[in-house]
Amino acid sequence: LQSLGIFGISDAERSAGVDNLSAVGYVLTGTCHRTVPTVTVAAPPTNTIATSKVNTTDNTIEITSHKFRTGTKLTYSNGSGSSIGGLSETAYYVIAKETTDSGTTFGDLTNNTFALGSSLSNAQAGTAVALSGTGNNSQTFIGDTATATAVLTVGKVSDIKIASVGSAYTSAPTVTIAAPATETIDGDNASKVVVADDEIVVASAFYGCIATGDIVTYADGGGTAIEGLTTATDYYLIKSGTSNRISLATTRDRAILGTKITITAVGAGSSHTLIGQTPTATAT
């Protein structure tokens, strides 16, 4: 099952250790997304390696309590200085203390030291890259940044799928989901604010991605609020049976019951807005 990727990661990714992204769970599903929002996962920490932390006798790198497992992918950068002898600015794979030396000497590995393999298979076999110079004090190692994608169902995030698990995370990364697009309303236009029906005309794209009970924030855009509404206030949508029209309610329960806020007059200004809720998520 693992080799087939049934659990969402490949065997190679599993071998890369426990310091990668294993799950993303949404906290708020969000509302009123017309298109699938971008999901951004924070990068793993950058490890700056002083020359004193490079041991050319043992072919090891020192990072205190690094917690890397054998196979963890790290990309080396020389920081625009001289490179560690034997390394180039590319990806390497950690050889940690649980790995048996294949014959390429890397000394005694500890919780604070590791060697590097030029490939995942070399790292797993314990075949280390020989280090012949210590480089410079601005050089770094950093893992891969994980990536994820959202699944959208009627304007809400219904799932977040991991696209790549990343590597070398020391704590759960921050996950950010893009906000929904803002719906702009001409608030002083009587054909857009239909007082007789307590309804507001919206774009067809907005109408198509909402459901009754969805939360939105209303703002008057620097003009005067539509009478019956208060700027910078959360309301709940009632999706009208008439295409491209909505009403607002003060609570979700009232929205479900169809209890509209009474609109007594149009406002002033053409930049009134409705914006849905931004989804939030946490990573494991």
Side-chain angles (χ1 to χ4, degrees), residues 2 24 38 59 101 136-137 141 168 170 187 203 217 235 244-245 281:
Q2 180 63 67
V24 178
T38 301
N59 298 314
D101 193 334
N136 71 91
N137 288 325
F141 284 99
T170 56
T217 301
Y235 294 105
N244 305 333
R245 288 192 181 194

PDB file of all heavy atoms in Angstrom, residues 2 24 38 59 101 136-137 141 168 170 187 203 217 235 244-245 281:
ATOM      1  N   GLN A   2       1.933   1.227   0.813  1.00  0.00           N
ATOM      2  CA  GLN A   2       2.799   2.401   0.857  1.00  0.00           C
ATOM      3  C   GLN A   2       3.445   2.643  -0.507  1.00  0.00           C
ATOM      4  O   GLN A   2       3.499   3.758  -0.996  1.00  0.00           O
ATOM      5  CB  GLN A   2       3.876   2.208   1.920  1.00  0.00           C
ATOM      6  CG  GLN A   2       4.832   3.392   2.043  1.00  0.00           C
ATOM      7  CD  GLN A   2       4.121   4.654   2.474  1.00  0.00           C
ATOM      8  OE1 GLN A   2       3.644   4.729   3.588  1.00  0.00           O
ATOM      9  NE2 GLN A   2       4.043   5.639   1.607  1.00  0.00           N
ATOM     10  N   VAL A  24      -3.289  18.623   6.146  1.00  0.00           N
ATOM     11  CA  VAL A  24      -3.769  19.997   6.278  1.00  0.00           C
ATOM     12  C   VAL A  24      -5.272  19.926   6.516  1.00  0.00           C
ATOM     13  O   VAL A  24      -6.005  19.355   5.713  1.00  0.00           O
ATOM     14  CB  VAL A  24      -3.481  20.850   5.020  1.00  0.00           C
ATOM     15  CG1 VAL A  24      -4.043  22.256   5.202  1.00  0.00           C
ATOM     16  CG2 VAL A  24      -1.993  20.919   4.741  1.00  0.00           C
ATOM     17  N   THR A  38      -5.875  29.983  -3.744  1.00  0.00           N
ATOM     18  CA  THR A  38      -4.496  29.520  -3.596  1.00  0.00           C
ATOM     19  C   THR A  38      -4.226  29.136  -2.146  1.00  0.00           C
ATOM     20  O   THR A  38      -4.640  29.821  -1.223  1.00  0.00           O
ATOM     21  CB  THR A  38      -3.519  30.626  -4.017  1.00  0.00           C
ATOM     22  OG1 THR A  38      -3.782  30.981  -5.376  1.00  0.00           O
ATOM     23  CG2 THR A  38      -2.077  30.176  -3.880  1.00  0.00           C
ATOM     24  N   ASN A  59      33.522  14.192   7.455  1.00  0.00           N
ATOM     25  CA  ASN A  59      32.562  14.467   6.377  1.00  0.00           C
ATOM     26  C   ASN A  59      31.150  14.708   6.934  1.00  0.00           C
ATOM     27  O   ASN A  59      30.161  14.180   6.417  1.00  0.00           O
ATOM     28  CB  ASN A  59      32.538  13.322   5.356  1.00  0.00           C
ATOM     29  CG  ASN A  59      33.871  13.118   4.675  1.00  0.00           C
ATOM     30  OD1 ASN A  59      34.503  14.076   4.234  1.00  0.00           O
ATOM     31  ND2 ASN A  59      34.326  11.877   4.627  1.00  0.00           N
ATOM     32  N   ASP A 101      27.393   2.881   8.056  1.00  0.00           N
ATOM     33  CA  ASP A 101      28.394   3.385   7.118  1.00  0.00           C
ATOM     34  C   ASP A 101      28.617   2.350   6.012  1.00  0.00           C
ATOM     35  O   ASP A 101      28.865   1.178   6.282  1.00  0.00           O
ATOM     36  CB  ASP A 101      29.699   3.655   7.870  1.00  0.00           C
ATOM     37  CG  ASP A 101      30.692   4.465   7.065  1.00  0.00           C
ATOM     38  OD1 ASP A 101      30.627   4.416   5.826  1.00  0.00           O
ATOM     39  OD2 ASP A 101      31.526   5.133   7.685  1.00  0.00           O
ATOM     40  N   ASN A 136      31.942  28.909   3.720  1.00  0.00           N
ATOM     41  CA  ASN A 136      31.931  30.240   4.316  1.00  0.00           C
ATOM     42  C   ASN A 136      30.804  30.338   5.346  1.00  0.00           C
ATOM     43  O   ASN A 136      29.952  29.444   5.447  1.00  0.00           O
ATOM     44  CB  ASN A 136      31.766  31.310   3.221  1.00  0.00           C
ATOM     45  CG  ASN A 136      30.367  31.307   2.625  1.00  0.00           C
ATOM     46  OD1 ASN A 136      29.477  32.020   3.104  1.00  0.00           O
ATOM     47  ND2 ASN A 136      30.143  30.489   1.593  1.00  0.00           N
ATOM     48  N   ASN A 137      30.777  31.428   6.087  1.00  0.00           N
ATOM     49  CA  ASN A 137      29.842  31.542   7.215  1.00  0.00           C
ATOM     50  C   ASN A 137      28.424  31.959   6.819  1.00  0.00           C
ATOM     51  O   ASN A 137      27.562  32.090   7.689  1.00  0.00           O
ATOM     52  CB  ASN A 137      30.392  32.525   8.243  1.00  0.00           C
ATOM     53  CG  ASN A 137      31.577  31.962   9.000  1.00  0.00           C
ATOM     54  OD1 ASN A 137      31.624  30.770   9.272  1.00  0.00           O
ATOM     55  ND2 ASN A 137      32.545  32.815   9.332  1.00  0.00           N
ATOM     56  N   PHE A 141      21.537  25.418   4.470  1.00  0.00           N
ATOM     57  CA  PHE A 141      20.787  24.246   4.037  1.00  0.00           C
ATOM     58  C   PHE A 141      19.323  24.505   4.357  1.00  0.00           C
ATOM     59  O   PHE A 141      18.992  24.979   5.443  1.00  0.00           O
ATOM     60  CB  PHE A 141      21.240  22.981   4.780  1.00  0.00           C
ATOM     61  CG  PHE A 141      22.547  22.429   4.314  1.00  0.00           C
ATOM     62  CD1 PHE A 141      23.718  22.709   5.011  1.00  0.00           C
ATOM     63  CD2 PHE A 141      22.617  21.605   3.195  1.00  0.00           C
ATOM     64  CE1 PHE A 141      24.932  22.189   4.597  1.00  0.00           C
ATOM     65  CE2 PHE A 141      23.833  21.088   2.778  1.00  0.00           C
ATOM     66  CZ  PHE A 141      24.996  21.380   3.471  1.00  0.00           C
ATOM     67  N   ALA A 168      12.311  18.720   6.085  1.00  0.00           N
ATOM     68  CA  ALA A 168      13.103  19.457   7.077  1.00  0.00           C
ATOM     69  C   ALA A 168      12.303  20.482   7.868  1.00  0.00           C
ATOM     70  O   ALA A 168      12.835  21.510   8.276  1.00  0.00           O
ATOM     71  CB  ALA A 168      14.323  20.111   6.418  1.00  0.00           C
ATOM     72  N   THR A 170      10.686  21.702  11.268  1.00  0.00           N
ATOM     73  CA  THR A 170      10.901  21.454  12.695  1.00  0.00           C
ATOM     74  C   THR A 170       9.640  21.732  13.509  1.00  0.00           C
ATOM     75  O   THR A 170       9.574  21.415  14.686  1.00  0.00           O
ATOM     76  CB  THR A 170      12.046  22.326  13.234  1.00  0.00           C
ATOM     77  OG1 THR A 170      11.755  23.704  12.966  1.00  0.00           O
ATOM     78  CG2 THR A 170      13.363  21.962  12.562  1.00  0.00           C
ATOM     79  N   GLY A 187     -24.126  51.267  -4.726  1.00  0.00           N
ATOM     80  CA  GLY A 187     -25.073  51.397  -3.628  1.00  0.00           C
ATOM     81  C   GLY A 187     -26.081  52.514  -3.755  1.00  0.00           C
ATOM     82  O   GLY A 187     -27.072  52.542  -3.005  1.00  0.00           O
ATOM     83  N   ALA A 203     -23.323  40.299  -9.204  1.00  0.00           N
ATOM     84  CA  ALA A 203     -22.825  39.692 -10.444  1.00  0.00           C
ATOM     85  C   ALA A 203     -23.215  38.216 -10.489  1.00  0.00           C
ATOM     86  O   ALA A 203     -23.328  37.550  -9.455  1.00  0.00           O
ATOM     87  CB  ALA A 203     -21.313  39.836 -10.520  1.00  0.00           C
ATOM     88  N   THR A 217     -19.181  40.165   4.750  1.00  0.00           N
ATOM     89  CA  THR A 217     -18.987  41.459   5.414  1.00  0.00           C
ATOM     90  C   THR A 217     -19.378  42.557   4.439  1.00  0.00           C
ATOM     91  O   THR A 217     -18.897  42.593   3.300  1.00  0.00           O
ATOM     92  CB  THR A 217     -17.531  41.638   5.863  1.00  0.00           C
ATOM     93  OG1 THR A 217     -17.186  40.585   6.762  1.00  0.00           O
ATOM     94  CG2 THR A 217     -17.338  42.980   6.567  1.00  0.00           C
ATOM     95  N   TYR A 235     -23.049  40.009   7.828  1.00  0.00           N
ATOM     96  CA  TYR A 235     -24.426  39.606   7.593  1.00  0.00           C
ATOM     97  C   TYR A 235     -24.427  38.217   6.962  1.00  0.00           C
ATOM     98  O   TYR A 235     -23.365  37.665   6.627  1.00  0.00           O
ATOM     99  CB  TYR A 235     -25.126  40.605   6.667  1.00  0.00           C
ATOM    100  CG  TYR A 235     -25.292  41.982   7.270  1.00  0.00           C
ATOM    101  CD1 TYR A 235     -24.494  43.044   6.858  1.00  0.00           C
ATOM    102  CD2 TYR A 235     -26.242  42.226   8.251  1.00  0.00           C
ATOM    103  CE1 TYR A 235     -24.633  44.317   7.417  1.00  0.00           C
ATOM    104  CE2 TYR A 235     -26.398  43.483   8.810  1.00  0.00           C
ATOM    105  CZ  TYR A 235     -25.592  44.514   8.400  1.00  0.00           C
ATOM    106  OH  TYR A 235     -25.732  45.774   8.963  1.00  0.00           O
ATOM    107  N   ASN A 244     -29.376  36.372  -9.688  1.00  0.00           N
ATOM    108  CA  ASN A 244     -28.450  37.471  -9.444  1.00  0.00           C
ATOM    109  C   ASN A 244     -28.960  38.473  -8.404  1.00  0.00           C
ATOM    110  O   ASN A 244     -28.546  39.634  -8.414  1.00  0.00           O
ATOM    111  CB  ASN A 244     -28.086  38.190 -10.742  1.00  0.00           C
ATOM    112  CG  ASN A 244     -27.524  37.237 -11.781  1.00  0.00           C
ATOM    113  OD1 ASN A 244     -26.954  36.200 -11.429  1.00  0.00           O
ATOM    114  ND2 ASN A 244     -27.696  37.565 -13.049  1.00  0.00           N
ATOM    115  N   ARG A 245     -29.825  38.012  -7.516  1.00  0.00           N
ATOM    116  CA  ARG A 245     -30.270  38.872  -6.422  1.00  0.00           C
ATOM    117  C   ARG A 245     -30.050  38.171  -5.088  1.00  0.00           C
ATOM    118  O   ARG A 245     -30.179  36.945  -4.982  1.00  0.00           O
ATOM    119  CB  ARG A 245     -31.740  39.228  -6.562  1.00  0.00           C
ATOM    120  CG  ARG A 245     -32.060  40.210  -7.679  1.00  0.00           C
ATOM    121  CD  ARG A 245     -33.480  40.707  -7.512  1.00  0.00           C
ATOM    122  NE  ARG A 245     -33.894  41.639  -8.555  1.00  0.00           N
ATOM    123  CZ  ARG A 245     -34.970  42.400  -8.478  1.00  0.00           C
ATOM    124  NH1 ARG A 245     -35.765  42.340  -7.401  1.00  0.00           N
ATOM    125  NH2 ARG A 245     -35.303  43.221  -9.460  1.00  0.00           N
ATOM    126  N   ALA A 281      -6.692  27.308   7.850  1.00  0.00           N
ATOM    127  CA  ALA A 281      -6.312  25.909   7.940  1.00  0.00           C
ATOM    128  C   ALA A 281      -5.112  25.756   8.867  1.00  0.00           C
ATOM    129  O   ALA A 281      -4.377  26.712   9.137  1.00  0.00           O
ATOM    130  CB  ALA A 281      -5.980  25.360   6.564  1.00  0.00           C
TER     131      ALA A 281
END
